[in-house]
Amino acid sequence: MIPRRRFLQAAAVTTAAATLTAQPAHARATAPPGPEGTITGMGPASVASPLGNGEFVGDVLYVGSRGLSPNVVAAYDLGQDKVIAHYDIPTGVGVWAMCKVGTDVYVATHARSDLYRLDTVSGQVTKVAEYTDEYIWTMCAAPDGKVYLGTSQPGRVVEYDPATGAGRDLGEPAPGEQYVRSIQADERYVYAGIGANAHLIAIDRVTGEKRELLPEELADRDWVSSMNISDTHIAGGMNSLAELVVLDKAAPETYTVVKATTPGEKYTVAVLIHDGYVYFAGRPSGTFYRYHLESRELEVLGVPYFEALTHRLLAHEGRVYGIQDSAVFVYDPATGSLDYVDLVQRGLKSAPEAPMSVHSDGRRVYVGGKNGADIHDIATGQTTRLGIAGEPKTMLTVDGVNYLGVYTQAALYAHRPGEPEARLLARTGNQQDRPRDLAHDKATGLIVMPSQPEPGHMNGALSLYSPRTGSYETYRPIVERQTVYSVVARGGVAYLGTMTQEGLGLPPVTTTARLAAFDLVRRKLLWEVEPVPGATRISSLAFGTVTLYGMTLAGEVFEFDLLRRKVTRTLAVGAKGGELFVTGRMAYCTDGAAIYKIDLVRWTVRPIVEGLAGDWFGAEPKMALDPSRRALYALRGRELVRVAIDGR
């Protein structure tokens, strides 16, 4: 464990770059690129060990991974202070939900949604149920051993009986709401925390009768996204005002709302009732709090790791354990000590994850993933890890500085190559959380970043950052009741491609994605059109010499005359929309499975690479263009590859 003094020093560091084992020099900047379509492997694109949940059985902490293939449950033995075993979870893209029944640990996956039993005595892993729901977000065990799962979309509650293997659908606790994000159960009730419009529903385990417990005063909140119960109380963490609601189980109308005190706090991400206190963690600060049930005093206990997400709080042998990505923090109420345990150093498996973004500055390739980005040096083959408390969704290089749009909080970071840390420039606020693209306008010097709103919220935003002055300004809405997904900028105008989805969990109210122009000097929307009937997303935009090109979610490429403001040609290309780049009279795009070359004069298309099966997070295919315009960077499975192009 890290002593408290060193631990708090570490907590003050925003990010850290940790060198990974160097990959062989698969790609050399000086090597000839080869004929068009030549593929050069560069090793795993992003290597990580992100966790999603945990559960104690005796003195062994079982933690589940997310984003790996296959995912694993790792067994960390407290007495030996090391990871003693890994158990493969063969399906799903991650483990968000875990609970225990006796010495068995139940593990639930998402996309696909399966339920596994890990027999911790024999070490056997068995799939015991599967569900049609996209996600299993949360899971708990009742005192009699029955297991309850909260799912999306829509949000429903499902019962599983380990004794018989039988399942029971308890339906949607709040019909129309898309998420059950927290769940607890006692002898009589299942308690379901709902979003994107907050509800706290008690479901009678025998009759299925449902009752709203959330006070009317809190009906306008977004989520009850985390929860824990005791014999006497229910404690629920609410977004996006970083609140904790504490209710008396015998009289739910008796309640207290506790506000996290760290400036800028938005989310209450994990809750535990233990020994007369409610412990909870906040985000984005990463602060660890406790609230005394009797005195109603709120304390700030510390920051285990700056801006880190706490997935679960557990009590064991008088201490409180917080599951974070790749690590556990340990709080001892008896001494007040707060220690940090890096599980990777203790044997936790690291493996290639499903990346979220890719970008090249010509000498390096940045691959964004969970909690940072892997930086691949093209000349040496060395890979280093740039740690960021979030997920880089989009990247851009301007004047030797790499800018990263990071989820959550739609944050903008800057990283100068060679520096060990990335620098936080701004958070967008305005109920935004997912950066969608980045562009630079040479005429104004501005960096333009569109973002998607938080789940359940309307209207995306457009943020403008000036590297010269440091100003950061956000405009919302831009295109009414839509999110700007893609952007390019030239001559003081940003051209915006939208998607109809606003915040996740909020059904779209518009039917067709739009193309719009925004004046970066006068800060006003100039015009908007619907370029492709029925398209729900414009996934990418790119400038030609005098035209604009776009790609839709359905894989259709269109040519747009900026003077006449009309589509002049369309072309069916791939199975779905991804990145699109123009090099002279040619364009290159991807659907994740193949890379296509489009002759912009003849308006014809052919694949130059097939069979990539790029395993992108969220199935959103990405690609990067090398500044030399002689290569593209893409995924083959989860391997980063360099693809030669000639632009002719």
Side-chain angles (χ1 to χ4, degrees), residues 510-577:
T510 59
T511 59
T512 304
R514 298 172 193 161
L515 180 65
F518 183 81
D519 190 313
L520 296 171
V521 177
R522 293 183 290 168
R523 308 293 173 90
K524 61 178 293 187
L525 195 68
L526 300 176
W527 50 261
E528 57 183 273
V529 299
E530 295 181 347
V532 179
T536 58
R537 180 192 302 171
I538 298 174
S539 63
S540 187
L541 292 171
F543 284 120
T545 305
V546 294
T547 54
L548 183 65
Y549 295 91
M551 190 172 192
T552 73
L553 179 61
E556 188 172 14
V557 172
F558 63 89
E559 180 183 71
F560 186 82
D561 187 314
L562 288 169
L563 294 177
R564 293 184 289 165
R565 295 182 197 169
K566 63 178 293 186
V567 172
T568 51
R569 294 185 290 183
T570 62
L571 184 65
V573 180
K576 68 184 302 182

Side-chain angles (χ1 to χ4, degrees), residues 263-267 282-287 305-308 389 408-409 427:
E265 206 82 291
K266 288 182 68 72
Y267 311 110
R283 202 181 188 198
S285 75
T287 302
Y305 196 88
F306 183 64
E307 292 197 343
T408 66
Q409 299 271 284
R427 294 191 182 95

Side-chain angles (χ1 to χ4, degrees), residues 499-516:
M499 67 175 176
T500 58
Q501 179 66 60
E502 300 173 90
L504 299 179
L506 187 68
V509 298
T510 59
T511 59
T512 304
R514 298 172 193 161
L515 180 65

Side-chain angles (χ1 to χ4, degrees), residues 209-223:
E209 180 184 357
K210 301 173 177 65
R211 180 165 61 108
E212 176 71 76
L213 300 183
L214 193 68
E216 187 175 344
E217 171 196 342
L218 305 176
D220 63 346
R221 302 310 198 263
D222 298 347
W223 302 82

Side-chain angles (χ1 to χ4, degrees), residues 446-457:
L446 294 172
I447 291 171
V448 184
M449 185 174 78
S451 56
Q452 184 175 3
E454 295 172 351
H457 285 277

